[in-house]
Amino acid sequence: MSSSVWGHSGQETIVEVLKRAVERAGCRPFIDFSGEGYSFAEFDKKSDDVARGLHALGLRKGESVAWMLDNHSDAVFLLFGAIKTGIVNA
């Protein structure tokens, strides 16, 4: 494996890895938070919804955002939504 930065020199980004996983295992379980489970496809859709929401709030690629959340599925959706939007997590 190359030592180059993700997203450069042909390496996949985490979003591309998730998309490929959705294609392979869409309905299979991806995460479970105390019985609140999501398949790969459900997780992808919900994180897309969060990304659209962040964009609707005016956040754009390269901007920084900070948040404080409990250990909950919402934190993971927010993280992936921010990554999909191109927001920098501060």
Side-chain angles (χ1 to χ4, degrees):
M1 182 165 259
S2 170
S3 63
S4 62
V5 177
W6 277 43
H8 297 90
S9 301
Q11 288 189 330
E12 293 179 304
T13 66
I14 192 69
V15 174
E16 292 166 337
V17 171
L18 177 60
K19 292 292 183 193
R20 196 165 32 85
V22 169
E23 291 170 5
R24 281 194 334 262
C27 63
R28 291 179 48 204
F30 177 60
I31 58 172
D32 187 292
F33 284 90
S34 301
E36 179 187 344
Y38 296 91
S39 69
F40 282 86
E42 290 168 330
F43 179 84
D44 188 47
K45 182 190 178 313
K46 189 155 181 165
S47 61
D48 281 347
D49 292 344
V50 170
R52 280 190 291 280
L54 292 170
H55 192 268
L57 290 171
L59 296 167
R60 299 295 184 262
K61 183 177 181 175
E63 292 185 299
S64 295
V65 66
W67 59 74
M68 181 187 281
L69 296 171
D70 291 332
N71 186 13
H72 189 269
S73 60
D74 291 344
V76 182
F77 293 124
L78 184 55
L79 173 64
F80 271 79
I83 291 169
K84 287 178 175 187
T85 306
I87 296 170
V88 178
N89 301 302

